[in-house]
Amino acid sequence: MTIAVCIKWVNYSGPVESDTPDERFAGFSFADQAALEWALRIAENSSDEVLVLTAGPVGAEAVLRDALSRGAHRAVRIDIDLTSDSSVIARNLVGAMSQPRMVWCGDYSNDRGSGSVPSFIAADLNIDQALGLVALELPENANASFAAVRRLDGGRREQLLISGSAVLSVEGSTVRLRRASLKNTMSASKQEIQVITATGGRMDTPALRPYRPRPRVTLAPIGLTALERVKHITDTSSSKGHGETVHAEPSAAATLILESLRKWGYLP
Amino acid sequence: MTDADIIVVGAGPAGSCAAIAAARSGKRVVLIERGPFPGSKNMYGGVIYPRILDELIPHWFETAPIQRWVVRRSTMVLSDTGALNIDYRSNAWGQAPYNGATAYRPDFDNWLAQQAVAAGADLICSTTVTGLLRDDQGRVCGVSTDRPDGDLTASVVIACDGVNSFLAKQAGLYPTADADNYTLGVKETLSLSKHIIDERFGVRDNQGVDIEILGGTSGVNGGGFIYTNLDTIAVGVVLKLSKLSAQKKRPEDIIAELKRHPAIAPLVEGGQVVEYSAHLIPEAGLEMMPKMVADGLLIAGDAAALCLAAGIWLEGVNFAMASGMYAGQSASAAINANNVSANSLKSYTDRLNKTFVLQDHKKLRKIPHLVLSDRIQHKYPAFVTGVVERMFRVDNPTPKPGVRRIVSQERKKAGIKLSELVRDALTGLKGFG
Ligand SMILES: Cc1cc2nc3c(=O)[nH]c(=O)nc-3n(C[C@H](O)[C@H](O)[C@H](O)COP(=O)(O)OP(=O)(O)OC[C@H]3O[C@@H](n4cnc5c(N)ncnc54)[C@H](O)[C@@H]3O)c2cc1C
């Protein structure tokens, strides 16, 4: 079966759509490199083939050749405008995979994009996702389930047992990508890369926007001179009415805190 | 069958030209570079004299990534407070066939290596050659690299791995290394707007300036330079290694001191340092050159100490390109003749001897050591600027002194004996031909 690895080519040298992108300043992230290494390790212990995919202009083929030189079996480039919506990119990547056993991605790209492509891939393939993995323990048997640790917000960690098809995204620190052999490096420059022209539209997603507290009305500062008005706004020695010490039972204190936050505009 | 006909080590100017010449003659060429791309690890002052490319890449000036075409060349002699500047300008140098050009090495070397790829060479980057492979008769037959499964065989290896060439040393072609033969080149690239550079240096459009400096190196034997790019300038010093280490001075302090000199400060004022780099220069020319040919092996460019560092001339890139090209041609001729022994590859050194590469070095053989000698370095700048200062100073009501008297007085003040002056003048005259 196929183990797919999605890597993002990022070029800092100027317009990415340029016909002759400057490959000197292009590459793929440590996280994408780690994803490729995990896929290669699993494939080594199985009969799976590693398919490496990237979306972008012709210059992006450099990272595919790099991946081929490290041991990937096949490479596909989706010819697409890199400013396309993440869901469009994900849908096109999925279209080129045909029933992968696993999809590996990096947790971040070199241009620190939204990181949403792996989720869209999981949604489109309708398989599980385990994103932001910081540690993995691969089993001897490539088909067995394996343990992984996922990073959560606030420094917390989640232990996972991964089995079956899944989209996995990993951090760059999890593993170091192997060095390509000299012979592979030489042959990769001549290996064929399949090019697929992008099609299709966005996936339907609920509209979400980041939470912002509602604006708080503040009275104009009082004072005859500009200096007095500035002092009124900035002077920390005078009370603004927020500094209050309350002695209360925990439940009453909680209610009071919520009421105050609501009054000050931090809660709806 | 070997993996390649010719392996070229190092995609600097020498390596890329060797690869172009060899690939053009139909050979299977692998060009190996340790940096992530050609030029990524390379630095120099900033001026290339690329006319040698006329032979290899006709109309090179239409595609080469040039910053400015040099139309002004100056030589400055600095004393502690004074400066004598000899300046020549020719706007004709700003048009084809051109003379010198400023260029960034990561751009120029990369462009040159791409010409080798276009000619059919395989370029392998991020790969360090770690040694030479030899057959059972001791002939060089390939290289080992730092990659897994990293041995590669070939009929001829051309070592263009730059100054301090480990491959030439490993092949036993270098006599013992002597720190006196090397200088340390150190450079700051300063960002300034194009408009300011144009105004300060009296140039327009893509016209550029090359200034070589004697003195201003804080008492360490060496020299300095200033070159203009489009929106940066390069300011640097070249320092005799043994003196630098004996005097325990820091190169960046010496550049800072040079930038504070009253003649230099107005040129560099307001420039933001965007790059600091350093590199060795094989300074001693013919005095330090290794054997350049062995069975299955040729050495070109800085690896063969072919850089010409002779006072007003600091030319290495053109010598590297020419020697690389000749090495590529000789290697392929030897393969065609089915004989890659040192004797057959000797056509390379014959070619160097017949062209500017070794002829210039032979002519200027004594100049590198003369220019870096203690007397020229520590006594002549004060002497020369002292003479000029007295000639241009008007001390009325005292009448003008005679030039001969000024020269004699300033010579004595600088502590130079007449016999030394005569000897240096003769060596200079003889040396500069
Ligand atoms: C401060 C300074 C100022 C200079 N100013 C000028 C100037 O203005 N004009 C001028 O013409 N010259 C100048 N030179 C000299 C000029 O830079 C050199 O003469 C020239 O670069 C020599 O070219 P090359 O190809 O022989 O070597 P390099 O340019 O040194 O190239 C050697 C290449 O080999 C690669 N390499 C080395 N070892 C290995 C290995 N083991 N495996 C794989 N790859 C390897 C390196 O990465 C590099 O790309 C200056 C030098 C310095 C240091």
Side-chain angles (χ1 to χ4, degrees):
Chain A
M1 288 188 79
T2 299
I3 300 177
V5 185
C6 301
I7 58 182
K8 182 169 180 185
W9 169 83
V10 177
N11 189 331
Y12 300 103
S13 66
V16 288
E17 298 306 322
S18 115
D19 284 344
T20 50
D22 189 340
E23 283 172 19
R24 290 178 300 171
F25 306 106
F28 58 122
S29 68
F30 283 114
D32 284 353
Q33 292 179 28
L36 176 59
E37 178 61 32
W38 287 117
L40 292 173
R41 286 189 184 187
I42 293 179
E44 262 163 12
N45 293 331
S46 65
S47 54
D48 295 317
E49 68 149 12
V50 174
L51 167 67
V52 61
L53 305 106
T54 196
V58 66
E61 288 180 11
V63 292
L64 294 178
R65 296 206 181 281
D66 191 351
L68 288 169
S69 72
R70 317 253 185 180
H73 301 94
R74 223 156 41 85
V76 171
R77 175 173 69 86
I78 310 292
D79 195 26
I80 194 170
D81 174 0
L82 269 182
T83 56
S84 309
D85 187 86
S86 295
S87 69
V88 179
I89 290 180
R91 179 154 281 174
N92 277 283
L93 289 168
V94 167
M97 287 175 192
S98 71
Q99 306 277 313
R101 185 161 91 76
M102 280 175 162
V103 181
W104 289 84
C105 304
D107 192 34
Y108 58 85
S109 55
N110 269 345
D111 59 351
R112 296 275 168 180
S114 66
S116 54
V117 168
S119 313
F120 280 119
I121 292 176
D124 212 27
L125 285 169
N126 197 19
I127 57 176
D128 291 340
Q129 60 179 19
L131 308 184
L133 300 180
V134 291
L136 293 103
E137 262 175 51
L138 290 191
E140 295 271 302
N141 173 358
N143 292 318
S145 54
F146 60 94
V149 180
R150 188 163 94 93
R151 174 175 46 77
L152 298 179
D153 289 346
R156 282 165 297 164
R157 297 282 184 268
E158 185 181 29
Q159 310 270 355
L160 301 173
L161 193 65
I162 295 167
S163 57
S165 287
V167 175
L168 308 161
S169 83
V170 289
E171 292 211 342
S173 56
T174 50
V175 74
R176 196 184 171 132
L177 179 56
R178 71 195 57 193
R179 201 153 153 64
S181 75
L182 187 60
K183 301 271 154 58
N184 276 0
T185 307
M186 290 173 69
S187 60
S189 64
K190 298 184 177 79
Q191 221 163 313
E192 196 206 339
I193 289 175
Q194 189 188 350
V195 180
I196 298 176
T197 308
T199 54
R202 292 170 52 104
M203 288 186 210
D204 286 335
T205 49
L208 285 176
R209 60 182 179 81
Y211 171 70
R212 295 225 190 336
R214 68 194 145 86
R216 197 155 50 97
V217 180
T218 317
L219 292 178
I222 305 159
L224 282 179
T225 64
L227 180 63
E228 280 172 357
R229 290 195 292 277
V230 170
K231 276 172 97 175
H232 186 248
I233 302 170
T234 57
D235 191 358
T236 47
S237 61
S238 64
S239 164
K240 302 272 188 340
H242 285 194
E244 198 180 343
T245 310
V246 180
H247 298 279
E249 287 300 308
S251 63
T255 314
L256 203 60
I257 289 169
L258 288 174
E259 263 173 26
S260 302
L261 288 174
R262 226 166 261 130
K263 196 165 82 192
W264 297 333
Y266 293 111
L267 288 178
Chain B
M1 173 146 141
T2 53
D3 298 316
D5 294 324
I6 298 172
I7 295 171
V8 182
V9 182
S16 289
C17 285
I20 296 171
R24 290 254 176 86
S25 64
K27 297 290 170 286
R28 294 173 301 137
V29 180
V30 179
L31 174 59
I32 304 180
E33 167 58 41
R34 65 181 170 177
F37 60 84
S40 55
K41 296 182 88 73
N42 300 348
M43 69 82 76
Y44 76 144
V47 180
I48 294 172
Y49 298 94
R51 286 297 305 278
I52 187 68
L53 287 180
D54 289 351
E55 200 176 328
L56 209 55
I57 309 167
H59 298 284
W60 53 269
F61 43 81
E62 287 167 6
T63 53
I66 297 304
Q67 289 282 313
R68 289 179 185 257
W69 300 102
V70 173
V71 296
R72 274 185 62 197
R73 286 194 70 168
S74 305
T75 298
M76 245 188 207
V77 182
L78 298 184
S79 65
D80 287 349
T81 52
L84 166 69
N85 196 5
I86 301 166
D87 187 77
Y88 178 74
R89 180 185 194 116
S90 166
N91 279 7
W93 286 347
Q95 290 151 21
Y98 300 103
N99 184 31
T102 56
Y104 294 130
R105 292 291 296 278
D107 293 345
F108 186 81
D109 289 13
N110 193 49
W111 168 80
L112 204 53
Q114 293 314 322
Q115 309 300 311
V117 172
D122 277 339
L123 171 65
I124 310 284
C125 291
S126 301
T127 306
T128 302
V129 169
T130 50
L132 294 167
L133 301 178
R134 290 179 185 273
D135 65 14
D136 39 17
Q137 276 150 52
R139 291 177 301 219
V140 173
C141 63
V143 296
S144 55
T145 70
D146 65 342
R147 284 195 179 272
D149 197 9
D151 289 357
L152 204 66
T153 56
S155 304
V156 180
V157 173
I158 307 179
C160 303
D161 50 339
V163 60
N164 212 13
S165 164
F166 287 107
L167 293 185
K169 283 183 188 166
Q170 197 190 83
L173 300 181
Y174 258 102
T176 47
D178 179 355
D180 260 346
N181 291 336
Y182 295 89
T183 50
L184 178 71
V186 190
K187 179 179 89 165
E188 279 184 8
T189 304
L190 307 178
S191 147
L192 279 173
S193 76
K194 177 175 186 308
H195 170 71
I196 289 181
I197 294 175
D198 286 353
E199 291 303 308
R200 280 187 195 171
F201 291 87
V203 286
R204 296 285 174 271
D205 304 322
N206 57 0
Q207 296 176 333
V209 179
D210 159 340
I211 304 174
E212 307 293 342
I213 302 167
L214 177 66
T217 48
S218 308
V220 176
N221 302 35
F225 56 81
I226 298 179
Y227 304 128
T228 56
N229 298 308
L230 267 183
D231 54 6
T232 64
I233 57 173
V235 186
V237 288
V238 167
L239 305 163
K240 191 164 177 169
L241 212 51
S242 50
K243 296 280 182 182
L244 178 67
S245 109
Q247 295 188 27
K248 300 207 175 345
K249 289 202 171 140
R250 299 284 315 162
E252 66 273 20
D253 293 341
I254 297 174
I255 295 193
E257 187 71 34
L258 176 67
K259 287 186 345 191
R260 279 196 292 270
H261 190 282
I264 305 297
L267 299 177
V268 301
E269 199 172 64
Q272 288 276 338
V273 181
V274 289
E275 188 190 78
Y276 176 86
S277 51
H279 200 78
L280 284 182
I281 303 177
E283 186 90 17
L286 216 57
E287 306 284 313
M288 67 180 296
M289 281 180 201
K291 270 177 69 187
M292 295 179 207
V293 181
D295 290 337
L297 179 70
L298 292 174
I299 317 283
D302 270 14
L306 286 170
C307 180
L308 179 77
I312 52 172
W313 296 297
L314 176 49
E315 298 176 23
V317 174
N318 47 337
F319 283 76
M321 293 191 294
S323 58
M325 175 172 79
Y326 299 143
Q329 289 166 347
S330 295
S332 80
I335 293 170
N336 288 345
N338 224 354
N339 180 357
V340 294
S341 67
N343 206 25
S344 166
L345 287 168
K346 208 174 72 59
S347 66
Y348 167 55
T349 35
D350 294 344
R351 195 77 192 273
L352 296 183
N353 273 311
K354 280 197 202 115
T355 56
F356 76 96
V357 180
L358 282 180
Q359 285 187 9
D360 282 357
H361 270 289
K362 281 180 191 158
K363 195 184 309 155
L364 298 166
R365 176 178 203 139
K366 295 232 153 36
I367 300 301
H369 278 317
L370 176 73
V371 171
L372 288 179
S373 67
D374 285 343
R375 200 162 43 243
I376 298 282
Q377 288 284 322
H378 305 311
K379 295 184 175 171
Y380 278 70
F383 164 54
V384 171
T385 51
V387 168
V388 178
E389 201 269 345
R390 296 264 308 271
M391 282 173 66
F392 287 142
R393 197 173 69 208
V394 179
D395 269 341
N396 294 161
T398 314
K400 293 191 191 315
V403 174
R404 238 183 309 158
R405 209 168 87 214
I406 296 177
V407 171
S408 164
Q409 284 172 351
E410 290 300 317
R411 177 181 59 74
K412 284 180 192 147
K413 213 159 96 191
I416 304 169
K417 290 190 194 134
L418 187 60
S419 57
E420 291 169 339
L421 185 64
V422 171
R423 202 176 335 132
D424 293 339
L426 282 177
T427 316
L429 272 178
K430 229 162 81 189
F432 284 109

